[in-house]
Amino acid sequence: MNSKDLIRQTIGATDTVWKGYLADLTDAELLHRPVKGANHINWQFGHLIVSEHMLGNSIEPDAMPPLPDGLAEKYAKDTATNDDASAFETKESLMSIQETQRAGLMKILDGLSEEDLDKPTSGPMQGFFPNFASLIMSADVHWMMHAGQWALTRRSLGKPPLF
């Protein structure tokens, strides 16, 4: 197994977890806040998509598929407190957008050599993620971090633990 295979395998395992947590949730449940001040899953989901788009473009500018018009604005930091379902995408829409963005990130990974994974990053991400491998893996870690929050949201909705 090489580094790229390990990255793909790790991202795939994370995808299994977060998709499992969302599988039986309705659009209305995606707007549930488990405690006052917590972000709802719908906002977090869109935020993750926008973040992954940005991370991929940090490796190869303009290589990621374009986001739907207005998506980044819908999921900006200042919209996190909004509970109006009409201000956000549906679960089905977010799943589709996520698949497109993930395919874009995997295409970038496929185009990198093992040596490219060690290339240094630049710009605002450089202090957090020193090379392309760590930048790609940060997308995975970000999804898993939010999945942990989704586990608590599920429990506050009376859903059973899954993992």
Side-chain angles (χ1 to χ4, degrees), residues 71-98:
L71 190 83
E73 293 77 16
K74 283 182 183 182
Y75 293 95
K77 187 176 182 179
D78 64 341
T79 65
T81 58
N82 191 344
D83 291 322
D84 178 4
S86 68
F88 299 104
E89 298 291 318
T90 64
K91 176 179 152 183
E92 181 179 356
S93 175
L94 289 169
M95 294 295 286
S96 176
I97 296 165
Q98 187 278 331

Side-chain angles (χ1 to χ4, degrees), residues 117-133:
L117 293 173
D118 287 328
K119 284 185 177 177
T121 57
S122 61
M125 293 291 115
Q126 187 175 24
F128 298 102
F129 313 111
N131 56 40
F132 287 174

Side-chain angles (χ1 to χ4, degrees), residues 21 41 146-156 159-162:
Y21 285 150
I41 291 175
H146 283 289
Q149 296 171 347
W150 299 352
L152 293 174
T153 299
R154 289 180 55 79
R155 296 305 295 273
S156 73
K159 303 282 185 179
L162 297 179

Side-chain angles (χ1 to χ4, degrees), residues 41-62:
I41 291 175
N42 186 295
W43 184 87
Q44 292 176 47
F45 196 178
H47 157 76
L48 285 161
I49 292 167
V50 172
S51 295
E52 188 163 319
H53 177 83
M54 183 267 308
L55 290 169
N57 282 336
S58 295
I59 296 170
E60 187 177 332
D62 299 320

